[in-house]
Amino acid sequence: MDLTSLSISALREKLVAREVSPLDALDALDARISAVDDKVHGFLSRDLALAKAHAAKADLSLPLGGVPIAIKDVINVTGEPCTCGSRMLLPYRAPYDATVIAKLRAAGAIPFGRANMDEFAMGSSTENSAFGPTHNPWDLTRTPGGSSGGSAAVVAADEAFAALGSDTGGSIRQPAALCGIVGVKPTYGRVSRYGLTAFASSLDQIGPFTKTVRDAALILDVISGKDPMDSTSLDQPVPAHTALLGRDIRGMKLGMPREYFIDGIDPQVDAAVRAAIRHYESLGAEIVEVSLPNTEHAVGVYYIIATAECSANLARFDGVRYGHRAESSGLLDHYGRTREEGFGPEVKRRIILGTYVLSSGYYDAYYLRAQKVRTLIRDDFTRAFAQCDAIVCPTSPEPAFKLGDRADDPLKMYLADIFTIATNLAGIPGLSLPCGFAEVDGKKLPIGLQLLGQPLDEPRLLQIAHAYEQSTDWHKARPGL
Amino acid sequence: MPLIPTIGLEVHVQLKTRSKMFCGCAVEFGAEPNTRVCPVCLGYPGALPVMNRAALEMTALTGLMLGCAVPEVCKFDRKNYFYPDMPKNYQITQYDQPLCVGGGVPLNEFAYPKDAQKSIVNPGKTVRLTRIHLEEDVAKSQHFESSTGIDFNRAGTPLMEIVSEPDIASPEEAFAYLIALQQILIYGGVSDADMEKGQLRCDCNVSVAEPGAPLGVKIEIKNMNSISAVRRAVAYEIERQIAAVQKGERLVQSTRRWDDDSAQTFEMRSKESAHDYRYFPDPDLLPVDTSVFMDEVRTRRPELPHEKRDRFVRDFGVTPYDASVLASEKALADYFDAAAKSARKPKNVANWIINDLLSALTTAEKTIVDCPISAHALDELVNLIDAGTISSSQGKEVFAAMFATGAPAAQIVEERGLKQESDSGAIEALCQQAIANSPKAVAEYKAGKLQAINSVKGQVMKLSQGKANPVVVSQVLEKLLAE
């Protein structure tokens, strides 16, 4: 039996029954990684000895006892690298655990492996990693999506039972869709950001990549909740995310946003998503058309707010206290060279853009106006949710694209996130789950179905996703590596 | 036309909180460099700020003491610029919605420099405030021969910035403003406000213009390490600007550095090189609802120096000067309040404190807080004198003994047999003896030279070994000599 293909739930059953030990699980993963990660390049590093030390002490009575979980290389884990996919942080070792890591440990899980990503989470293909791209396990010539492409790929390729990623404009959902797994971006403030290297503070949220909807619920149970170290975390009780799984969705209203079914969307994606919606109808859900009229502004607003925030968030990388430090003469030269050598082109592009929109004389026209439009986008969702329980739409307008295809065209790359960005601007939860395959060049490429919910309505989103998953077989397909 | 100066001050005050503004690290001076630090105040990847409620409350209390309005909502912003002493390369501060707005600092006569107290141009003036906001302090750079070290212990210390309107008209007013402000800050327990320790830092905006004309070019001066240095620097800068304008020079908006040794200011940068700080709201911090703590903060507003001074004059009959000395320090004012409460003559208590106690404390290198004589004990001593039980010269002796041993006055009087003799029968016998011993002085007195009685009186005091009540002695002598 191949341990690595198990879901968390299935692994937990075997662990609790003492059929396998946490060390067995780690060894199996390590063997799998050794076998396939040369091709996938989902991990930047992994410390098997450290993970084994934790596994030896794992308390199997805890909810995630003995379960190794891969971590996107943007989340701090004591003693481990946290490069954020950047040369800037190559020499850096994290001196502390992010709150999500502390919570995972307290639930018995074992952080294992640092997943590749676009540099500082800026990108939609993982090609912006300073350490080389991750390859899509379904077709190694294609991208796994991004920015959490490593996290998505290692779960899809059975190199991890689950992974944590971060989602600022779609960085969990889009790679989950392109790799054929489940990915959840929780409500803004549901999960603590303490220890997540910030890209855009008002948009970033940590979430899980899993093989099943139930596994996502298990992880959300553990990582959600108020954190005194993060002022923006919500002081709201954490429900059991598994509570509604398996319940009937008959009579539930699902909204189809007219603006998300547009020309230019890949026909196979369009067909798969429409088929999924018909499937929901067959399960007893009522489909209503809703409108999100400000959708067209989402990408523009996002690239003002996200870049403005990142221009300040990334200012701390100056080589004074940690990280890359260039040879230089004098202070200004030090800053210039360190940041010139440390950052890649996309990061520089966004810092410059963000610096520009915050500049005196431009602030009102860009940043302030973007904040106003952001409110309109949020209002769109509030109105839509008055008519439906959840929104159903594509996650990505297309299946995985070829590596190198977009690398030179940032604007085209930015459009990969058109269906995911508004969610972050509104702060609502979103989820992607497999809903079919596109046939491209004789390869099967996964297609993702996106579900969006009201703030803190994760349990119901999971219920709706679970109903689809359990009545279809898409999630059972594995890439042939 | 004469040129007149206009001055506005920006004062940074380190708050006396236990922990830093946005993390749990201790605020502590003199610790080993870089030992009071954590991922937050070092600006590590992923670290997030969490507001220090005590700092918000202390700033709001300062606002209440200075008559500011505290809006219901304030927020924090990022001020972006690169410097090695700034861990995140942005400072969390308050841009357009500060914690306190308006208010003012009343200048009292005794806050002015001693040599200027006689010539105050605008007595009773209040310098208006623009705002008070809260921010985080930066680290401390230490320059060595070929490198610079940075100590991040200070980084993230809560810092309150108090911005005045350009209401100050002279170096002496700037001095008085800082003294009065410092007193209030210490009274409220919000800061020790010691300029030499960097707990209070002051930048001055100085311009000169003809009366009635629009304000002149604003020039900022920095790097003054004491309140008297502020006075000197402002005086120098006014003179420099007036001389420049009169020579026909065009002043440019700029920042200048005060050098205390050469007593001059030097240009650091001009407006052309000014930063664009790109302020924007800090997405890591939510706006603050001040109503959550304001009711409680209101209960903590202390009686202020000028309020105490007025009450001392009104209720205790103390002179305005003495009252302001007593009110200059909260512990001293509390001491006086406690002693004066049960005093027969509170004014005499004030005199003992100002004339005897303060100098004894200075000599002994003590402060009022560790004064060996309790307020109650001093009150007993003064009451013994006022009741005529001991003479005031005996009082000095008793005071010295009390200060040295901490024993109560009554005990020392008893032990040393110092009780003043006020029984006129006993005194009369001594007086007759003295008159008999001083025929010459008696004759002179009777011939009309009234001060001759003093030598007779001295005799009586000698005979009584200093115990005779001098008032009674005078009365008895006059009576006997009139016979």
Side-chain angles (χ1 to χ4, degrees):
Chain A
M1 177 211 53
D2 184 8
L3 268 185
T4 60
S5 63
L6 297 178
S7 66
I8 289 178
S9 313
L11 173 68
R12 281 284 299 156
E13 277 173 28
K14 291 190 188 302
L15 286 169
V16 171
R18 311 279 185 219
E19 284 174 41
V20 297
S21 72
L23 288 173
D24 296 336
L26 275 174
D27 283 334
L29 284 183
D30 199 54
R32 174 72 178 168
I33 295 167
S34 302
V36 303
D37 207 52
D38 278 353
K39 290 178 262 180
V40 177
H41 193 230
F43 283 111
L44 292 176
S45 61
R46 63 187 197 276
D47 187 341
L48 185 65
L50 189 63
K52 278 188 168 174
H54 288 296
K57 293 178 290 181
D59 180 350
L60 297 179
S61 69
L62 295 169
L64 296 176
V67 178
I69 293 179
I71 308 296
K72 184 177 182 181
D73 206 28
V74 71
I75 299 171
N76 284 266
V77 176
T78 307
E80 299 210 13
C82 186
T83 68
C84 301
S86 181
R87 263 190 296 278
M88 184 62 94
L89 285 176
L90 202 49
Y92 171 77
R93 288 291 175 282
Y96 73 107
D97 272 347
T99 297
V100 288
I101 299 302
K103 287 188 170 205
L104 283 183
R105 290 196 207 275
I110 304 154
F112 176 56
R114 309 293 304 171
N116 196 11
M117 56 185 283
D118 283 302
E119 185 175 6
F120 288 107
M122 298 175 191
S124 308
S125 68
T126 319
E127 289 166 287
N128 294 333
S129 169
F131 311 111
T134 295
H135 300 255
N136 193 312
W138 293 90
D139 176 350
L140 295 170
T141 67
R142 291 176 186 271
T143 135
S147 65
S148 314
S151 295
V154 297
V155 174
D158 292 333
E159 298 176 66
F161 299 101
L164 289 188
S166 64
D167 188 317
T168 306
S171 284
I172 290 175
R173 291 158 290 155
Q174 185 253 18
L178 270 46
C179 291
I181 57 170
V182 176
V184 184
K185 182 207 90 80
T187 306
Y188 184 77
R190 175 84 284 184
V191 177
S192 168
R193 293 185 292 116
Y194 188 76
L196 167 69
T197 308
F199 160 19
S201 314
S202 74
L203 302 163
D204 294 342
Q205 215 26 216
I206 293 171
F209 286 93
T210 54
K211 297 174 184 177
T212 67
V213 172
R214 179 172 295 276
D215 283 2
L218 292 175
I219 291 180
L220 285 173
D221 275 351
V222 169
I223 64 173
S224 301
K226 174 71 184 169
D227 176 13
M229 300 296 277
D230 176 0
S231 312
T232 62
S233 66
L234 294 168
D235 196 1
Q236 294 286 334
V238 178
H241 288 88
T242 50
L244 302 180
L245 301 187
R247 290 214 195 157
D248 207 335
I249 62 158
R250 211 173 295 273
M252 222 173 251
K253 284 188 179 166
L254 299 182
M256 266 180 85
R258 156 178 341 132
E259 295 80 4
Y260 283 51
F261 292 86
I262 47 170
D263 288 346
I265 184 169
D266 180 277
Q268 298 192 73
V269 170
D270 188 67
V273 171
R274 287 180 191 275
I277 290 169
R278 282 196 299 279
H279 185 80
Y280 270 120
E281 260 179 316
S282 75
L283 293 175
E286 187 189 331
I287 307 300
V288 295
E289 195 184 67
V290 294
S291 175
L292 301 167
N294 290 292
T295 298
E296 58 171 323
H297 304 304
V299 172
V301 166
Y302 175 84
Y303 279 97
I304 289 170
I305 292 173
T307 58
E309 291 180 6
C310 93
S311 72
N313 282 333
L314 271 62
R316 68 187 63 195
F317 303 113
D318 60 5
V320 172
R321 284 143 296 129
Y322 51 79
H324 177 69
R325 180 186 289 193
E327 291 290 324
S328 63
S329 55
L331 187 58
L332 208 59
D333 189 48
H334 162 83
Y335 286 138
R337 283 179 196 270
T338 297
R339 289 166 68 82
E340 161 62 26
E341 293 171 9
F343 290 140
E346 182 61 26
V347 171
K348 286 176 191 156
R349 182 155 38 237
R350 296 200 193 188
I351 290 173
I352 291 167
L353 207 55
T355 304
Y356 176 77
V357 299
L358 287 176
S359 300
S360 137
Y362 297 99
Y363 181 87
D364 288 3
Y366 292 107
Y367 187 78
L368 208 59
R369 177 167 295 213
Q371 290 292 7
K372 288 177 185 164
V373 180
R374 181 177 185 175
T375 304
L376 297 179
I377 289 169
R378 194 175 294 148
D379 294 347
D380 277 359
F381 281 103
T382 307
R383 270 192 300 273
F385 287 124
Q387 299 166 52
C388 63
D389 298 296
I391 285 169
V392 57
C393 59
T395 308
S396 164
E398 59 191 342
F401 44 92
K402 287 268 189 194
L403 286 164
D405 236 17
R406 309 275 163 89
D408 300 330
D409 190 347
L411 274 183
K412 207 166 171 198
M413 188 74 96
Y414 294 173
L415 293 177
D417 293 330
I418 50 170
F419 297 147
T420 48
I421 271 176
T423 319
N424 300 74
L425 292 169
I428 59 174
L431 176 158
S432 181
L433 77 162
C435 74
F437 290 93
E439 292 269 346
V440 184
D441 304 336
K443 300 257 181 161
K444 283 171 72 177
L445 300 177
I447 294 170
L449 180 70
Q450 184 173 223
L451 297 169
L452 307 176
Q454 297 182 56
L456 299 178
D457 210 15
E458 283 86 350
R460 187 152 54 165
L461 274 191
L462 292 161
Q463 177 197 358
I464 297 167
H466 187 255
Y468 179 88
E469 178 193 64
Q470 294 303 305
S471 55
T472 57
D473 284 332
W474 307 117
H475 66 289
K476 293 178 184 162
R478 315 303 310 161
L481 266 174
Chain B
M1 278 287 246
L3 292 167
I4 54 164
T6 300
I7 303 152
L9 301 191
E10 288 168 21
V11 175
H12 284 93
V13 180
Q14 276 184 349
L15 291 176
K16 241 168 108 175
T17 52
R18 277 200 299 274
S19 57
K20 292 186 180 180
M21 186 62 224
F22 297 113
C23 64
C25 289
V27 172
E28 210 179 307
F29 303 100
E32 193 65 18
N34 297 312
T35 55
R36 301 295 181 270
V37 292
C38 74
V40 176
C41 58
L42 283 177
Y44 266 59
L48 295 173
V50 175
M51 255 177 251
N52 181 338
R53 171 84 171 262
L56 291 169
E57 292 178 1
M58 282 183 184
T59 305
L61 176 62
T62 306
L64 288 181
M65 293 192 293
L66 297 175
C68 307
V70 179
E72 230 168 273
V73 178
C74 72
K75 71 171 173 68
F76 285 83
D77 302 275
R78 294 183 181 179
K79 177 182 182 179
N80 295 286
Y81 66 95
F82 277 78
Y83 204 73
D85 65 10
M86 195 144 70
K88 302 181 293 295
N89 286 318
Y90 62 80
Q91 181 190 33
I92 304 177
T93 179
Q94 298 191 286
Y95 181 54
D96 54 357
Q97 286 181 262
L99 194 45
C100 308
V101 292
V105 176
L107 308 186
N108 67 76
E109 167 188 359
F110 305 101
Y112 282 81
K114 282 230 159 56
D115 58 281
Q117 288 179 5
K118 295 276 185 303
S119 54
I120 294 168
V121 176
N122 196 347
K125 176 170 183 167
T126 290
V127 173
R128 291 170 302 155
L129 297 179
T130 312
R131 58 187 277 166
I132 305 177
H133 69 253
L134 191 52
E135 58 191 29
E136 53 179 344
D137 206 347
V138 295
K140 214 170 176 163
S141 302
Q142 223 174 337
H143 301 286
F144 305 114
E145 206 167 307
S146 63
S147 66
T148 298
I150 307 168
D151 177 7
F152 287 94
N153 287 355
R154 195 179 74 178
T157 299
L159 204 58
M160 183 167 68
E161 183 171 340
I162 303 172
V163 183
S164 88
E165 291 285 303
D167 274 2
I168 297 168
S170 67
E172 289 67 38
E173 281 187 12
F175 183 99
Y177 170 83
L178 288 171
I179 294 283
L181 180 61
Q182 190 182 40
Q183 254 178 24
I184 291 170
L185 295 171
I186 294 170
Y187 254 70
V190 299
S191 176
D192 291 334
D194 187 337
M195 253 186 114
E196 266 135 71
K197 289 187 183 147
Q199 294 159 342
L200 190 149
R201 288 166 244 161
C202 174
D203 300 335
C204 306
N205 290 307
V206 179
S207 65
V208 297
E210 291 178 354
L215 292 182
V217 174
K218 183 171 86 177
I219 292 173
E220 185 180 10
I221 46 176
K222 287 177 171 298
N223 195 44
M224 289 76 76
N225 294 321
S226 67
I227 294 178
S228 50
V230 170
R231 182 189 182 192
R232 288 194 295 275
V234 170
Y236 170 86
E237 184 60 21
I238 292 169
E239 242 179 78
R240 187 191 72 82
Q241 289 185 22
I242 289 176
V245 171
Q246 285 172 344
K247 267 191 283 177
E249 257 176 58
R250 186 180 294 270
L251 294 170
V252 290
Q253 195 171 329
S254 55
T255 301
R256 299 178 71 85
R257 182 177 177 283
W258 168 251
D259 180 67
D260 213 34
D261 295 329
S262 66
Q264 292 178 56
T265 61
F266 298 96
E267 182 165 312
M268 290 167 72
R269 55 177 179 262
S270 70
K271 200 199 173 194
E272 287 70 48
S273 56
H275 289 106
D276 177 359
Y277 291 120
R278 306 190 309 280
Y279 288 97
F280 74 104
D282 191 331
D284 288 331
L285 295 164
L286 304 174
V288 181
D289 175 3
T290 57
S291 66
V292 173
F293 52 75
M294 283 314 289
D295 282 343
E296 196 273 326
V297 171
R298 269 182 208 104
T299 66
R300 277 154 46 187
R301 184 192 182 279
E303 187 184 27
L304 296 177
H306 66 272
E307 293 163 346
K308 273 198 203 296
R309 197 171 49 238
D310 293 350
R311 180 168 60 81
F312 290 167
V313 172
R314 190 178 65 236
D315 294 359
F316 296 134
V318 176
T319 65
Y321 179 80
D322 286 357
S324 70
V325 172
L326 292 167
S328 65
E329 195 187 329
K330 184 164 184 295
L332 182 61
D334 289 346
Y335 185 97
F336 172 65
D337 252 330
K341 202 168 50 192
S342 54
R344 290 174 185 225
K345 294 176 182 165
K347 194 175 177 323
N348 290 351
V349 174
N351 288 337
W352 273 90
I353 293 174
I354 293 168
N355 299 331
D356 299 274
L357 187 64
L358 290 180
S359 54
L361 286 171
T362 310
T363 311
E365 292 180 352
K366 284 180 190 294
T367 67
I368 195 71
V369 179
D370 46 22
C371 177
I373 304 178
S374 72
H376 178 67
L378 183 75
D379 181 36
E380 282 179 344
L381 170 65
V382 178
N383 279 345
L384 283 177
I385 299 162
D386 289 345
T389 312
I390 56 173
S391 67
S392 55
S393 59
Q394 285 175 323
K396 304 268 180 203
E397 183 186 338
V398 175
F399 174 86
M402 288 169 77
F403 197 88
T405 65
Q411 188 190 323
I412 294 165
V413 166
E414 186 65 40
E415 280 169 8
R416 304 198 175 186
L418 287 175
K419 276 215 166 134
Q420 177 167 262
E421 184 57 81
S422 296
D423 176 55
S424 53
I427 288 175
E428 192 168 324
L430 295 173
C431 287
Q432 278 167 342
Q433 203 183 330
I435 289 169
N437 291 345
S438 321
K440 192 171 165 234
V442 170
E444 280 174 10
Y445 178 78
K446 290 196 167 166
K449 196 177 169 194
L450 295 180
Q451 63 269 45
I453 198 171
N454 288 339
S455 86
V456 185
K457 202 171 153 186
Q459 282 258 348
V460 177
M461 295 308 291
K462 210 173 197 173
L463 290 169
S464 76
Q465 292 166 312
K467 289 181 195 172
N469 182 331
V471 180
V472 180
V473 171
S474 299
Q475 286 165 359
V476 172
L477 272 182
E478 278 165 27
K479 191 188 84 188
L480 289 175
L481 291 171
E483 279 167 2

